[in-house]
Structure formats: C-alpha cells, structure tokens
Amino acid sequence: MGVRKEKAAGTEAALKDAARQLFVERGYLNTKITDITRAAGRSTGSFYEHFPSKEALLDALMNDLRDQASQELRGQSHPAHPADHDLADREQLRAHLAAAWRTMRDNLPVVLATHEATVAAGPASGQAWQELATGTEMLRDHLEQAHRRGQPLPGDPELVAAAMGAMLSSLAYALLPAGAGGGPARWSDDQILDTVTSLLLTGLRG
Amino acid sequence: MGVRKEKAAGTEAALKDAARQLFVERGYLNTKITDITRAAGRSTGSFYEHFPSKEALLDALMNDLRDQASQELRGQSHPAHPADHDLADREQLRAHLAAAWRTMRDNLPVVLATHEATVAAGPASGQAWQELATGTEMLRDHLEQAHRRGQPLPGDPELVAAAMGAMLSSLAYALLPAGAGGGPARWSDDQILDTVTSLLLTGLRG
DNA sequence: GTCTATACGCGGATAGAC
DNA sequence: GTCTATCCGCGTATAGAC
C-alpha cells in the first residue's frame, strides 16, 4: 500500500471509496451517480456494471459494514457480547455509549447516507421507527433483562431503548459531520459522552 | 363553514392546505409541485403565481406557524413565558415536554417537512445542528438559569438542552406519523411523555 | 388569476464500439 | 470491463391565450 490504494483496488472498490467520501461531503441525496464515477475516475456507464442503482451501492456499503463488524467481534474476546451488562452502572453505560459513538464516527458516510435514505422514504413509510428500533436492539435486551431482575425502569424497555438511541444518533447527526455544530467542534467526544451518560443515568437531578 | 372550506378559501390557502396534507402522507421530498396543484384542484402554472418554489411555500407555512404561535401566546396568561421554571420539578418538566409534543403533533406537516428539508441540505451544511439549537433555546435558557442557581447539571446547558430536544424530536419523527411505529400506535402520548419525563428527570436509576 | 401547452435541463439508464 | 454517445422520463418553469 505504497501510493494510497490508487488503481490497485478494483473499480468497484474505487466507486465505493468515492461514494463514501462524497456522502459525507455533500450528502447522499445530493450526490449523483455521475459525481461518484467522476470522483472515482471512471465513466458513467461503468457504474452499472457493478451496481444497478445508487440504493444498491448503499446496500453494499452497509453489508461491508456488517461483515467487518461481525468479523471484529469474532476475533475478539466478545463471544456474543455479555448480555448481563448493568446499564445502571456508570462505567458500563458509558462504555456502551462510547462504543456506539465510535461506530458512528468510524462509519459516518454510511450512517449518514442511511439516515438520509430513511428520511427520503417519507414519514408514512415507518422506516424512521424501524431504523430506531433495530439500532437499539441490544440496548432493549439489556433493559429487559434488568427489568426482569427487578430493576425499576422509566417505562417500556423498548421505548426507553428507542429514546436513548434517539438522543445519541440525533446528536451524532448534528455534531459529527465536519463543519457542523457551528464551526470548530464545540465539544470533545469525551464531553459529549460524559454529558449524555450522566443525563441518561441520573437525569437532570443528577 | 358548511361544506368544508371549499373554494371559499383563496387559491393560496388551498395550495397550502393541499401541501400540508401531502407532506404528512408522502413526505416533503416526495411531493412534487404538480401533486400539490392537482390535490388543490388548480393548474400547474397557477402555483407560481403564489410561490416561486416549493421551498418558498414551506417558508410560508413556517411563518404561518410562527404567527399563530405568537398570537396564541399574546392572548393568554403567558406574558413572556415565566423563565423561572424549575425543570428539576417533575410536573413542570412534564408540562414542558407535553407542550413541545403537542406543538409537534398539531403542526406535524410543517415539522416533518422542515426536517426533511434540513436532512436534504446535507451533513456539511450544519443545518441539523442549527435546527436542534434553535428548537431548544428556551430549554437552554431554563437550564442556564438553573445552573446559575447552583443546581448541578449533567454538562454544558446548551449541550444538555440539545440532547433533550434530540430525544424528543427524534421520537416524534419516528412515532407521530400515521402508519409509523409498526401499525396502530403502540404507546399513547401519555405513556411516551411519562417515560421521557422520568428518563430525563432521574435517568435509568430512577 | 387561472388555464393549457410546451420548452428546458438534469440525471438515470442503455447501446454498442473497443 | 470500460468507454463514448445518446436516449428518455420526470419535474420545473415559462409563454401566452382566456
């Protein structure tokens, strides 16, 4: 890997890379197929040899993300992610939120693009709720287990999980992109995570 | 007002009404200008006599909303909204959240459309943060005042306010639209508000 | 002010040579 | 597999009669 990836990578990979970059810069909806091919140094027609549409490309990017994630999990100390986490413990809650935050930051292009696609699907599609629900499955599991252990919860575990996820992902969308948040980052990741952790753990009464 | 509004209202109003309806049903981005004129029973060309573009129409709808809101405030017992609210008090916090929730529900078309427009503007525009910040100004004021009173907060008031607003508005976008949330409403407004209030007030530890 | 008809451009998608 | 050239549909916007 001497001179970047260059043409070393295949066209498909080049298109993916270009797409990722453009998705963060201009957004998914504003990025046209021709923008992607041009940025990748390929011709328009070449695109369709690899993807039938822009949506298909995004699907592929999401699959890449999933594959990578499950691979990392397999090769690590997490056999299946210990389900006996106690989210009422500050360290564990923060670790959880930090992991989610990091994942979003590391995969910002795909995360942003997916969100844009969801919104573009329209309110009646129900995709917004679905995105929220599937993105907080783990959280919900932990909360349900805690609930079974007798710990009091602010409400239905699924709803609580969704609320927590809503806060985090919405903040991510507003603050993570470069140039967002009103210029140079106002808050560090640590500050944000500390604040959210405290707020979710003990609320305004602290 | 015997047979609905009918043609009694001017064309401009008819276009606005049609737009509002379509924005909730199909979404702002998916709604074409021709869809609006057709739903309003007018011709395509007539649209441009009243609005130069779809964005301008949305602006007009937002202004209508603002005018109405400030009018209601003037005619009521709120001279300027008592700034000495204590959000650490359960009743007051809930009332606040309920008011916000109700406003979003009552003006769902405009709220949804604005959000779609914000997302469509792309991540680098910073509009997402701006929307969040301006939508939580009151909240921030209250928190800053509480902070000045010596009450401990989970973090920077502006960030805390944004986090709270993020949770609420994101839940609204996922749950308020008809057909969202997986069919018939899983949770009542009261359940949702109770849950969010508790979560924000005392956190997971309850 | 409202209509019908139409022009225009953008972007998605394909044809066919190399 | 990649290219160039081109087609086509959709949606915006305008022209001009009524």
Side-chain angles (χ1 to χ4, degrees):
Chain A
M1 59 297 247
V3 201
R4 307 275 178 179
K5 53 246 167 191
E6 290 300 324
K7 296 293 182 79
T11 296
E12 184 170 322
L15 289 173
K16 283 179 178 175
D17 284 346
R20 270 186 278 256
Q21 187 179 347
L22 290 172
F23 288 172
V24 260
E25 289 176 359
R26 316 182 187 179
Y28 170 74
L29 297 173
N30 289 328
T31 299
K32 308 306 167 193
I33 290 179
T34 53
D35 296 330
I36 298 173
T37 53
R38 183 159 16 88
R42 313 299 159 117
S43 71
T44 307
S46 193
F47 179 91
Y48 296 92
E49 194 66 31
H50 301 273
F51 309 100
S53 66
K54 198 173 68 170
E55 295 75 45
L57 193 167
L58 180 55
D59 280 351
L61 291 181
M62 285 195 292
N63 286 334
D64 288 356
L65 196 160
R66 259 188 272 281
D67 291 353
Q68 174 201 333
S70 57
Q71 240 180 6
E72 285 177 0
L73 278 186
R74 238 182 294 285
Q76 278 187 1
S77 46
H78 306 256
H81 184 77
D84 60 335
H85 272 168
D86 180 14
L87 294 180
D89 175 71
R90 180 170 224 102
E91 310 307 325
Q92 294 184 43
L93 176 61
R94 212 203 116 112
H96 245 276
L97 298 174
W101 191 260
R102 196 182 200 306
T103 300
M104 291 192 283
R105 159 152 264 153
D106 289 347
N107 303 286
L108 199 54
V110 187
V111 171
L112 294 177
T114 304
H115 188 239
E116 284 188 46
T118 295
V119 169
S125 72
Q127 269 192 236
W129 167 255
Q130 200 158 30
E131 189 189 14
L132 204 49
T134 61
T136 55
E137 279 177 358
M138 278 186 198
L139 216 46
R140 192 200 55 199
D141 288 346
H142 287 152
L143 291 173
E144 279 173 348
Q145 185 160 344
H147 183 248
R148 265 182 251 115
R149 276 199 310 264
Q151 193 195 321
L153 245 45
D156 184 338
E158 192 174 3
L159 181 54
V160 175
M164 295 172 68
M167 177 184 285
L168 202 66
S169 63
S170 198
L171 277 183
Y173 190 81
L175 294 176
L176 242 27
R186 292 166 112 123
W187 299 289
S188 69
D189 284 5
D190 277 345
Q191 277 178 295
I192 296 170
L193 286 170
D194 285 342
T195 299
V196 173
T197 302
S198 288
L199 184 54
L200 290 177
L201 189 68
T202 58
L204 289 174
R205 285 189 180 159
Chain B
M1 56 299 250
V3 201
R4 307 278 177 178
K5 52 245 168 189
E6 291 300 325
K7 297 293 183 80
T11 296
E12 184 170 320
L15 289 172
K16 283 179 179 175
D17 284 346
R20 271 186 277 256
Q21 187 178 348
L22 289 172
F23 288 172
V24 259
E25 289 175 357
R26 315 182 188 180
Y28 170 75
L29 296 173
N30 289 328
T31 299
K32 308 306 168 193
I33 290 179
T34 53
D35 296 331
I36 298 173
T37 53
R38 182 158 17 89
R42 314 299 159 116
S43 72
T44 307
S46 192
F47 180 91
Y48 296 92
E49 195 67 29
H50 301 273
F51 309 100
S53 66
K54 198 173 67 170
E55 295 75 47
L57 194 166
L58 180 53
D59 280 351
L61 291 180
M62 285 194 295
N63 287 335
D64 288 355
L65 195 160
R66 260 188 271 281
D67 292 353
Q68 174 200 333
S70 57
Q71 241 180 4
E72 285 176 0
L73 278 186
R74 239 180 295 285
Q76 280 188 359
S77 47
H78 306 255
H81 184 78
D84 60 336
H85 272 169
D86 179 14
L87 294 181
D89 174 71
R90 179 168 225 105
E91 309 307 324
Q92 295 184 45
L93 176 61
R94 214 205 114 111
H96 244 276
L97 298 174
W101 191 260
R102 196 181 200 308
T103 300
M104 291 193 282
R105 158 152 265 152
D106 289 346
N107 303 285
L108 199 53
V110 187
V111 171
L112 293 177
T114 304
H115 187 238
E116 285 187 47
T118 295
V119 169
S125 71
Q127 269 193 236
W129 168 254
Q130 201 158 27
E131 189 189 15
L132 205 49
T134 60
T136 54
E137 279 176 357
M138 278 186 197
L139 215 47
R140 190 201 58 199
D141 288 346
H142 288 153
L143 291 174
E144 279 172 350
Q145 185 160 343
H147 184 247
R148 264 181 253 114
R149 277 200 309 264
Q151 193 195 324
L153 246 44
D156 184 338
E158 191 174 2
L159 181 54
V160 175
M164 295 173 68
M167 178 183 286
L168 202 67
S169 63
S170 197
L171 276 182
Y173 189 81
L175 294 177
L176 243 28
R186 291 166 112 122
W187 301 288
S188 69
D189 284 5
D190 277 345
Q191 275 178 297
I192 296 170
L193 286 170
D194 285 343
T195 300
V196 173
T197 302
S198 288
L199 183 54
L200 290 178
L201 189 68
T202 58
L204 289 175
R205 284 190 182 159

